[in-house]
Amino acid sequence: MRNPTRWLVACLVVLAATRAEAFPSFARKYGMSCTACHVAWPIFNQVGQSFWDNGYQFDLGKDDSINQGLSYIPFSIRTTPNYTFTRSTNQASDNGPVATQTGGISPPGVDILTGGTIAKDLSFLVVLTGFSPSDGQALVESAWARVSNLGGSSWLNFKAGKFELDLPASAHRDVSLAGVGYAVYGAHPAGSLVGFDMSENQLGLELSGHDARSSTRYSLAVVNANGDPGSGNAWSSPLVYAHVQRSFELDNRVLPWVRVGALGAVGWLPTSFATNGTNADGSPASVPGTGRDHKSYQRVGGELSWMLGYPATPALFTAAFMYGREEAGLAGTDPATATDLSGQSNSFTGGFLELDWVPFAEVSYNSTPWLFFARYDFVRYATGSGDYDGGTLGVRRYLAFGPKGAMAIHAELHADKTRGAGAPDPNTNIAKDVESQSFLVGLDFDF
Amino acid sequence: MTWTRTVAVALSAAWALFHSAVALATPADPEAARRGAHAFGRYCVSCHGVQGDGRGPSADWIDPRPRILTSGTFKFRSTASGELPTDDDLFRTISNGLHHTNMPHWDAITAMERHDLVQYVKTLSPRFASEPQGKPIVIPAAPKFTPALVAKGKEVYGKMGCANCHGDTGKGDGSSWSTLRDDWGYPIVPRDFTSGPLKVGDAPEDLYRAFMTGLNGSPMPSFAESITPDESWALVAYVRSLRVE
C-alpha cells in the first residue's frame, strides 16, 4: 500500500463498522439486564458464554419467540458516533516522510442485528453492518443458521454460513472501538500473499460442543479463508480451525476462576492460476477457480484467562500467545526493504494481554457503571518488517445498562509502533517505522 | 386464675416463643451477603428489583411475575407448608432455574456466587432473622410406577379435588382456573400436567415434594396432612401418566 495513512484510516473505518455483536433484544426477550450475560457489554461472562454455546437458548421453555410478549422484536441496532483524533509519523509525501494528524467525527456506521431461535434447537444470526454516511455501503457481516444438540447431545452443534471463529477473545465483542486491537489475529509476514484474518467472519461450517455449564467447550470449523483467492478444490480457500477451552472454578476469593485454551489453524493457498489477459496494472489476470500449487500456512496458540476479585465484578485478564508460520512461496517482496522473500518460509509470534475491570458501585439498576480496560498487543516476525507493539487504555461509563438497551460514553487512548511500515528514508531507501497515537471519545448506543 | 394473670402468662409464653424462634433463626452470613450484593446487582435486579420487592423494570412484562423476595414466601421448598426454605432450596432454585418462567438457571456462574446470593436473598426478608428455616421433609423411596399405582393415583386426584384447578385431564383447565390468585392478588395459572416439565424440575421426587409441601404464596396447598406417602406417590404416578408430549 503506497499510502499508509489511507490504509490506516480505511482499516479503522472498516473495523469500527464490523464490531457488531451485542444484542439487547435478548435482554428484552428474557427481561434480563445486559450485565447478566456480559462482564461488561460487549464482553461475555459465563452466562453469556453458556447462552451463546447453547444456540441462544436457556432451555426453560421461554426460548421460543412465539411465547414472548408483543414488546419483543428480535432486532437490535447499534451505532457508535465518536470523535477520533489520529497522529501518524513517517507518512509518504513528495517532501519525504511527514507526520499526519486527522480528527473529526468518524462516519458512524450502523449495525442491524437479528437472531435467536425459531424453534427448539434451531437458531440463527444475521448482522448487517456499514451504512456509513461516508460511503453508504453495507455488508452482511454475519449470516448463519445452526442446529443445536444433535442427537440430544450438547457436544454436537452444527452451524453453517458466515460466522466468527471461536477465538480466545472475540474480535466482534471487542470492548475497544478504535478497531486496532488483537493485531495477532490478522498478522502476516511482510509481503505475504495470505489474506486470512481470524478476526474476520469466515464462510464455512462449524461443529461445536460444550458441557452443561460451558466449562469445557470446543469448536471445529472448516471455512473458506477470507481474503484468499479461490482454488480449484472442493473448498475454495480451505482452512481448518480448532479451538478448545476449559475453565476451572477455584475456591479462592482472590483468584476464583481460570480458563485455559488452545487453538490451531491450517490453511492452504493456491500460488498459481490459469490466466486470462491482464489486470489494469499489466499483471496477468488469474482465472478464479483454477488455483493450484497450494502452500500451507499455520497458526497455533494458547490462552489463559483469569479473574481477580469477586467473579460478579471482576478484574478479568485475558492473555493469548500465538505462533504463525507461512510456507515458502507464500510471500512476495518485503515492501520495507524491497527484499524478495518468496523463496523462504516465514513465521511470527504474537499475542495480547487484556484487562477488563468492572468495579461494583451499589445494588441498583446500574450496579457496574464503569469499565476500565487496557490491552497490550505485540507481533514479532522472524524475517522482514512489520513488528508491532500497541497499547490501549480506555474507560466506559454506562448510562443505561438495563433490560431494554444500553448506552455508554466511551473514551480510549491508543498508541502503537509498526516497524518498517512508513515511507522510505530518503537516505537509505529503507522504510521507516510508523508511530501512531489515537484518541477516541464517543457514544456507544445499542438498542 | 384471674384474667390479668392469664394474659400475663400468655404474653410471657408468646415472648418466650418469639425469642426461642429468634434464637433458632439462621440469618444471613453478613460477609457472604455483602459479596452476594455484587451478584444480585448484576444478575437479579432487573426482575426482582433493587429492594427485592419483585418490582424490577422487567417485572411488568414477564409472566409469571418475579418472586417478591421481601416476603420470605417461596414456592419451591423442601420444607413444610408455610415454613422458610432451606439454604439448599434457595441454592437449587438459583442453580436450576424455573421452567416456564423467566428465571433462568444460573449454574453457569460460580458456586461461590450462588451461595453468596442465597445469603443476600436472606437479608431481603426479615423472616430469616426472626424465624428458623424449615427442615427438609423426608421423601421415601419411590415405588415402581405400575398401572395399579396410576389407577390409585387417579382416585387420589379425584379425592383431593385436583381437577378443580388442574382439570379432569390435567391440562390446567379446571373450573376454577380463571379465578385463582396468588398471595399478592396476581392471577396465577394452574400447571398443565400434559406438557413440559414442572417449574421446579421433572424428577418424580420434585412432584412428591410439591404435593407434600405445597407451594407457598400460591393456591396450591400441602397435602401432607391429607394423604399418606403411599397416596402421594400414587398421585405422582398418575400425574406423570397425564403427560402427552
Side-chain angles (χ1 to χ4, degrees):
Chain A
M1 181 75 65
R2 288 203 163 171
N3 189 328
T5 302
R6 275 194 202 163
W7 177 83
L8 180 63
V9 171
C11 285
L12 283 171
V13 170
V14 169
L15 287 170
T18 56
R19 305 195 178 280
E21 292 174 15
F23 222 142
S25 70
F26 286 139
R28 293 191 288 274
K29 179 178 181 181
Y30 293 99
M32 298 160 69
S33 291
C34 304
T35 52
C37 286
H38 297 278
V39 171
W41 159 55
I43 307 163
F44 274 162
N45 64 15
Q46 303 99 302
V47 180
Q49 186 69 64
S50 176
F51 182 67
W52 164 266
D53 285 348
N54 207 30
Y56 296 143
Q57 299 179 106
F58 282 118
D59 275 341
L60 286 175
K62 283 282 189 178
D63 297 311
D64 200 330
S65 301
I66 205 167
N67 288 334
Q68 307 303 316
L70 293 176
S71 62
Y72 169 61
I73 302 172
F75 283 92
S76 289
I77 189 166
R78 183 182 185 189
T79 187
T80 54
N82 64 78
Y83 171 84
T84 304
F85 175 81
T86 303
R87 181 179 187 277
S88 298
T89 63
N90 294 322
Q91 303 301 299
S93 80
D94 290 339
N95 301 320
V98 295
T100 61
Q101 298 185 153
T102 59
I105 301 294
S106 302
V110 175
D111 308 314
I112 299 174
L113 306 91
T114 182
T117 53
I118 59 168
K120 181 169 171 52
D121 294 335
L122 302 179
S123 53
F124 73 100
L125 174 69
V126 175
V127 180
L128 306 179
T129 192
F131 307 101
S132 167
S134 63
D135 58 13
Q137 299 293 309
L139 60 93
V140 178
E141 181 193 313
S142 294
W144 53 256
R146 170 178 149 144
V147 183
S148 302
N149 302 313
L150 290 166
S153 170
S154 66
W155 291 102
L156 292 174
N157 306 287
F158 175 76
K159 180 191 289 182
K162 186 179 183 185
F163 54 84
E164 183 183 26
L165 296 174
D166 196 69
L167 298 169
S170 168
H172 289 255
R173 284 183 294 277
D174 181 5
V175 71
S176 166
L177 295 181
V180 289
Y182 304 127
V184 70
Y185 287 162
H188 296 288
S192 174
L193 304 175
V194 178
F196 172 61
D197 180 343
M198 61 173 61
S199 68
E200 292 296 315
N201 287 354
Q202 311 290 331
L203 293 162
L205 310 172
E206 181 194 53
L207 190 67
S208 63
H210 58 95
D211 64 10
R213 300 179 63 212
S214 283
S215 299
T216 304
R217 49 193 305 280
Y218 80 91
S219 166
L220 180 64
V222 181
V223 301
N224 287 345
N226 77 295
D228 290 349
S231 69
N233 288 340
W235 281 93
S236 189
S237 307
L239 181 124
V240 178
Y241 175 84
H243 183 215
V244 294
Q245 286 181 322
R246 175 84 170 97
S247 61
F248 302 90
E249 276 183 46
L250 309 176
D251 189 17
N252 185 308
R253 302 218 168 89
V254 177
L255 183 66
W257 182 89
V258 173
R259 183 169 67 195
V260 296
L263 64 85
V266 56
W268 293 269
L269 188 75
T271 56
S272 61
F273 292 83
T275 58
N276 183 22
T278 58
N279 295 314
D281 63 1
S283 62
S286 301
V287 179
T290 62
R292 57 188 184 275
D293 298 330
H294 290 73
K295 307 293 183 186
S296 72
Y297 55 97
Q298 303 88 31
R299 306 285 186 268
V300 293
E303 64 185 276
L304 178 66
S305 300
W306 67 98
M307 288 180 178
L308 287 185
Y310 197 64
T313 48
L316 173 65
F317 291 82
T318 305
F321 181 81
M322 288 173 55
Y323 169 80
R325 180 181 179 277
E326 299 188 355
E327 200 176 346
L330 286 179
T333 302
D334 183 348
T337 58
T339 308
D340 181 9
L341 299 174
S342 60
Q344 63 185 84
S345 63
N346 205 342
S347 63
F348 65 87
T349 55
F352 58 85
L353 172 63
E354 178 172 322
L355 164 63
D356 301 290
W357 178 43
V358 188
F360 176 72
E362 60 179 350
V363 177
S364 71
Y365 297 121
N366 196 0
S367 296
T368 51
W370 294 97
L371 165 68
F372 300 92
F373 62 95
R375 182 162 66 215
Y376 169 66
D377 288 88
F378 75 97
V379 182
R380 296 285 182 274
Y381 296 98
T383 306
S385 60
D387 286 1
Y388 176 89
D389 289 276
T392 304
L393 278 174
V395 60
R396 284 163 75 85
R397 173 67 166 87
Y398 295 97
L399 304 176
F401 210 8
K404 297 172 185 171
M407 187 158 147
I409 299 173
H410 182 108
E412 182 174 340
L413 284 169
H414 174 83
D416 61 40
K417 180 176 183 178
T418 308
R419 275 75 171 178
D425 185 309
N427 299 320
T428 63
N429 208 31
I430 294 175
K432 296 170 76 78
D433 298 345
V434 172
E435 293 184 7
S436 294
Q437 299 89 34
S438 65
F439 169 71
L440 180 154
V441 61
L443 296 174
D444 196 351
F445 174 88
D446 206 3
F447 176 72
Chain B
M1 185 179 293
T2 65
W3 69 271
T4 50
R5 192 171 171 192
T6 305
V7 169
V9 169
L11 285 174
S12 300
W15 183 253
L17 273 173
F18 173 75
H19 274 276
S20 64
V22 170
L24 291 171
T26 49
D29 171 5
E31 181 57 25
R34 186 192 62 76
R35 294 192 304 267
H38 292 222
F40 191 82
R42 171 172 288 275
Y43 304 120
C44 312
V45 294
S46 60
C47 295
H48 293 288
V50 170
Q51 308 298 329
D53 55 6
R55 299 178 69 180
S58 301
D60 285 339
W61 88 76
I62 62 177
D63 180 29
R65 293 181 67 89
R67 181 80 344 200
I68 298 172
L69 301 172
T70 49
S71 69
T73 301
F74 295 88
K75 282 184 182 174
F76 305 110
R77 314 164 329 280
S78 62
T79 60
S81 179
E83 292 186 339
L84 288 170
T86 66
D87 285 4
D88 285 346
D89 291 336
L90 295 174
F91 185 82
R92 185 171 57 242
T93 299
I94 292 169
S95 298
N96 298 345
L98 298 172
H99 282 270
H100 307 290
T101 79
N102 283 63
M103 174 70 179
H105 47 89
W106 294 103
D107 56 346
I109 68 174
T110 62
M112 178 198 302
E113 288 169 283
R114 284 174 280 152
H115 283 296
D116 293 343
L117 273 172
V118 168
Q119 298 306 311
Y120 184 76
V121 166
K122 288 169 66 175
T123 67
L124 297 174
S125 169
R127 287 188 64 188
F128 286 96
S130 59
E131 298 177 31
Q133 292 171 265
K135 301 280 186 231
I137 64 166
V138 176
I139 300 180
K144 189 173 181 186
F145 290 174
T146 62
L149 192 67
V150 171
K152 182 180 174 186
K154 188 174 183 180
E155 290 177 17
V156 178
Y157 192 84
K159 182 177 86 174
M160 300 311 299
C162 302
N164 292 338
C165 298
H166 297 282
D168 291 334
T169 60
K171 279 189 66 66
D173 56 356
S175 58
S176 63
W177 77 269
S178 61
T179 65
L180 299 175
R181 296 287 186 275
D182 65 16
D183 283 4
W184 299 272
Y186 295 113
I188 188 168
V189 178
R191 180 77 200 124
D192 176 358
F193 292 130
T194 65
S195 68
L198 293 174
K199 284 187 175 67
V200 74
D202 211 24
E205 290 75 12
D206 295 323
L207 262 177
Y208 182 98
R209 189 185 302 113
F211 294 152
M212 300 306 260
T213 65
L215 304 180
N216 289 353
S218 85
M220 173 68 191
S222 163
F223 297 151
E225 305 297 323
S226 311
I227 61 177
T228 66
D230 287 345
E231 288 175 318
S232 185
W233 275 123
L235 193 56
V236 171
Y238 176 65
V239 166
R240 286 173 64 86
S241 76
L242 297 173
R243 181 81 60 86
V244 293
E245 60 180 74

